[in-house]
Amino acid sequence: MSKVIALVNQKGGVGKTTTAAHLAWGLAKKGKKVLAIDFDPQGNLSMGMGAKLKNKGTVIDWLEIGDTPKSFKEVVQNCGGVDLLPANILLDNAELSLYNELSREYVLKNRLKDVKSKYDYILIDCRPSLGTLTVNALVAADEVLIPIKADFFSLPAVSQLFQSVKRIKERCNDKLKFNGFVVTMADKRRNLDDYNDNFNALAHSVKSKVYKTQIRQNAAAADVPSYEQSLYDYKPNSLAAQDYLALVEEFLKYEEGHYAA
């Protein structure tokens, strides 16, 4: 059965897009059929995964917002074994255009009905704010995955996100739940115990979990987007590549119900 997961954090700079890309690529390496949706007008997921946008459509065209809607086949691209619905700055127009749509919170959910059954996982990389686009992603999603950096400013952002998800559950998507938290950019030279305790407490408050796998700070993770390929191919022996592969394994163990807490 297909599952839609929105990767969300209202704070930027937490490794959300890198996590989305490498979870998608890692799941594909495990034989899963994966669709990644770039739902951030910055288009970083599209650039980092090597999407070619010249003379091609983007996710905004597929959403049928505008005068020249395109089919899924016209927009989707395969990037390293993962199907991708790319985005660019034009997606910003959707924030305004969606206000004129009936049931605007459900536009993405309704469009996904035609393609959802083709995939094991659909991952949505959201922009770092709670606008109409992110609301659409949360309404369409089954679960929310939160990449979170171990620093002081992460905690208030996550608390705000909890309130946003609570409102979405109450009004639009009562089945939405938290998949978990992934600690990113972890500096093992620092004592992270206090942060880990806080994250575990937050996860417990929403009946979720913190993944045991932490993504360590690593120069390769910062460099890899410019090479338009995954860490698994660019620097497979790097710390970040090893961590993301371990995260994929842990993710699948949870999915398969074989995880021993």
Side-chain angles (χ1 to χ4, degrees):
M1 185 175 69
S2 179
K3 181 178 285 188
V4 181
I5 300 176
L7 285 89
V8 187
N9 194 320
Q10 291 173 240
K11 182 180 184 299
V14 299
K16 174 177 56 60
T17 296
T18 303
T19 300
H22 285 83
L23 182 57
W25 271 320
L27 289 170
K29 283 181 174 293
K30 294 293 185 180
K32 304 300 182 182
K33 294 180 179 178
V34 183
L35 172 66
I37 301 177
D38 192 345
F39 230 44
D40 185 342
Q42 295 179 89
N44 290 339
L45 183 69
S46 303
M47 290 185 284
M49 294 188 75
K52 307 304 178 187
L53 296 183
K54 187 175 181 180
N55 300 322
K56 292 183 179 291
T58 65
V59 66
I60 192 173
D61 301 307
W62 173 70
L63 287 173
E64 297 185 344
I65 300 170
D67 299 326
T68 56
K70 295 180 181 293
S71 69
F72 181 79
K73 288 183 178 180
E74 290 177 288
V75 176
V76 71
Q77 300 184 34
N78 190 273
C79 299
V82 171
D83 281 354
L84 171 70
L85 289 176
N88 58 18
I89 193 63
L90 294 177
L91 186 58
D92 242 345
N93 297 338
E95 290 280 10
L96 294 175
S97 300
L98 281 168
Y99 280 109
N100 298 319
E101 295 287 324
L102 293 173
S103 302
R104 57 180 175 265
E105 298 90 352
Y106 296 89
V107 171
L108 178 59
K109 182 183 181 73
N110 290 335
R111 294 296 284 141
L112 282 175
K113 288 178 182 177
D114 296 332
V115 300
K116 187 175 178 180
S117 62
K118 299 177 182 178
Y119 296 98
D120 298 307
Y121 294 100
I122 298 174
L123 306 181
I124 309 172
D125 182 36
C126 299
R127 70 187 309 173
S129 64
L130 194 78
T132 310
L133 291 172
T134 304
V135 169
N136 257 261
L138 292 173
V139 171
D142 301 301
E143 296 179 358
V144 181
L145 179 61
I146 306 173
I148 188 167
K149 186 179 178 182
D151 66 17
F152 173 77
F153 297 107
S154 291
L155 297 174
V158 171
S159 296
Q160 293 168 14
L161 177 59
F162 282 179
Q163 295 305 311
S164 301
V165 171
K166 181 180 178 181
R167 288 195 295 271
I168 297 295
K169 283 175 64 70
E170 290 172 347
R171 300 174 186 177
C172 305
N173 184 2
D174 61 358
K175 293 182 171 58
L176 183 64
K177 63 181 182 179
F178 290 93
N179 175 283
F181 297 78
V182 177
V183 177
T184 61
M185 303 180 189
D187 185 348
K188 297 298 185 179
R189 296 170 299 178
R190 298 167 54 208
N191 185 347
L192 302 179
D193 289 347
D194 288 343
Y195 291 112
N196 291 333
D197 289 343
N198 285 327
F199 296 155
N200 279 308
L202 284 170
H204 181 74
S205 71
V206 290
K207 299 179 181 179
S208 186
K209 62 184 176 291
V210 179
Y211 281 90
K212 292 182 179 179
T213 302
Q214 297 187 347
I215 311 302
R216 288 168 284 185
Q217 276 189 340
N218 185 247
D223 295 341
V224 72
S226 63
Y227 292 92
E228 299 183 348
Q229 59 180 314
S230 73
L231 283 163
Y232 313 132
D233 298 316
Y234 169 59
K235 284 195 175 177
N237 295 322
S238 64
L239 295 178
Q242 295 172 28
D243 291 344
Y244 275 120
L245 283 174
L247 176 65
V248 171
E249 293 280 0
E250 189 176 1
F251 176 92
L252 288 173
K253 285 180 180 177
Y254 274 117
E255 291 294 289
E256 294 163 4
H258 298 156
Y259 191 82

